[in-house]
Amino acid sequence: MHGLMQRTPLLLSSLITHAAENHAGAEIVGQSVEGPIVRSSWGEVARRAAQLAGALSRLGVREGDRIATLAWNTPRHLELYFGVTGIGAVLHTVNPRLFLPQIEYMLRHAEDSFLFFDISFTDIVAALAPKLAELRGLVALTDRAHMPALGLPNVLCYEDLLAGEADIYLWPRLDEDAASILCYTSGTTGNPKGVLYSHRALLLHSFCAAAADGLAVSCLDSGLVVVPLFHANAWGLPFAAAMVGAKLVLPGARLDGASLFSLMQTERCTFAAGVPTVWFGLFDYIDRNRDALDLSRFCLDRILCGGSAAPRVLIKRFDETFGAFLLHAWGMTETSPIATLGRLLPKHLGLDREARYDIQSKQGRPVYGVEVAIFDPEGQRLPRDGRAVGHLKVRGPWVTAGYFKGEGGVVLDAENWFDTGDVATIDADGYVTLTDRAKDIIKSGGEWISSIELENAAVGHPDVLEAAAIGVSHPKWVERPLLLVRCKEGKVVEKQAMLDFLADRVARWWLPDDVIMVEELPHTATGKLSKVSLRKTYADYLLKKAAE
Ligand code: AMP
């Protein structure tokens, strides 16, 4: 017997309709690419998304057409999130930090019909557009006064495009399984692969993001979204915020510590979301300007942090500086992205700070909607005992079932598990602790050393800004850890001092065979340490040293 409830499709357009009707006045504040701070609202975003939808229809964009963006977190990019998906077209958010050939590959692979770009990316567009035959038009996300001189045909001005269009749009009743957003994984090896989100998946994910034990986004919040709109839907924040009418603060291209500090202060942010590197930049700014800064005007309640492991030192600094709780999250582009969140359980409430930081350092417990489990290399499920280390697999309604155009072949096993490529433990309470990416783990004489744990321990040193631990060839143990350390400006940490520091924090046999001070560490386009290039550079380092 069927239930007698309405079969309303779960569509992203329902979010902007809801926001316009119920939270029209809630603010959207953005750092524009042109310079000034722009003040908009959910009502304004809804009206302009409707105008955009009208313009796209007029340009002949149809359901399923891909529309690419090369853009920062700005109100205009947010309008595209709703205007493009609302008409059933697919928003392809491109990471502008990737190498030019990778961007070209993605635009070609996605067969994008239009490319909307921030004027700061004019050079990329000028280099690529002539090569892309599928592109029917380019749209500069600016007004007439700031139009770049590209010298290409088919360059439209966003504000001109919207002008004259009706500010209401009758959003079509699409199939909830229709594609809505396309986001390519950064692809540390091989070509990037496209994750194609359905409306249904992202809508269900928004309920999870907004929930009290999720990201707990509410209409009382003012959230600084540093995580890019081009990376895994900015962790679903645009949709969760529209659902509840939260104020959003979008930092544009200015991601330095000073700019973020100023936005968080003036916009009275209650939460901020970003990867650990961004927050180290913030504290670097605070440390340099301590005496001149007024921290009393902050109302920061929590930091949403993921993308790579949040070191304990960061958790502690947010607590001590702002009284803010660092909510550690783990997920991936393929999981929309929220999968586990580091919320506390009732039994943790009485813990002292240090013991609480231990819990917060873990990657968190699965949210409803994502099942997690660990498996040994033979595919046997491993226990949730906090000790067994295995390959982390996930499944659920917002986990990918395969990549765009079948790239990478079949990605699910017979029981629908998706192998994340991460290696983890899960404890009896369900807390996942990531020990490594499968390919980053350091295999010393058959035993595994967690590069994440070594790095987290190293950045606990007050003079260290960043650290990377990699496994390099060793004549006896096959692989041994090598630690690369980037110190804070003007600071030096000698090898022995670092080893002494680590000796209190990790097992003796985990201690790196060597410690090298470096000026810079390489990062991928999503801000993670690029260990592939480090491993290449230092592959024979210990072998050569042994031969000397
Ligand atoms: P991406 O698809 O670019 O978002 O990358 C996803 C990958 O980032 C995951 O598979 C993890 O390896 C890593 N990652 C994400 N969140 C965390 C976290 N909290 N701690 C450690 N690694 C993380």
Side-chain angles (χ1 to χ4, degrees), residues 480 499 503 506-512:
R480 284 294 299 159
L499 291 176
V506 299
R508 274 221 96 72
W509 64 276
W510 281 32
L511 285 178

Side-chain angles (χ1 to χ4, degrees), residues 5-21:
M5 291 292 129
Q6 298 186 11
R7 182 91 183 109
T8 309
L10 303 178
L11 299 177
L12 296 179
S13 54
S14 67
L15 293 172
I16 196 66
T17 304
H18 174 81
E21 282 177 3

Side-chain angles (χ1 to χ4, degrees), residues 453-501:
E453 229 174 285
L454 271 179
E455 287 156 10
N456 282 348
V459 295
H461 190 291
D463 295 338
V464 170
L465 193 62
E466 215 181 358
I470 52 170
V472 297
S473 299
H474 187 275
K476 179 172 177 197
W477 300 108
V478 185
E479 240 179 51
R480 284 294 299 159
L482 180 68
L483 185 70
L484 299 133
V485 174
R486 183 180 158 210
C487 291
K488 290 184 182 162
E489 211 176 292
K491 305 283 182 189
V492 177
V493 185
E494 299 297 345
K495 171 180 169 182
Q496 197 50 51
M498 180 42 93
L499 291 176
D500 291 346
F501 181 79

Side-chain angles (χ1 to χ4, degrees), residues 8-9 53 98-99 124 159 213 241 276 299 315 320 349 394 400 454 480 516 521 529 541:
T8 309
L98 290 167
F99 297 121
I124 302 182
E159 291 303 328
D213 279 339
C299 31
I315 296 168
E320 290 176 352
L349 295 181
V394 292
T400 194
L454 271 179
R480 284 294 299 159
I516 305 175
L521 283 169
L529 282 169
Y541 180 86

Side-chain angles (χ1 to χ4, degrees), residues 226-255:
V226 188
V227 53
L229 289 170
F230 56 73
H231 187 195
N233 320 311
W235 302 346
L237 286 166
F239 300 126
M243 184 176 260
V244 301
K247 168 177 171 177
L248 288 184
V249 182
L250 305 170
R254 300 198 189 161
L255 306 177

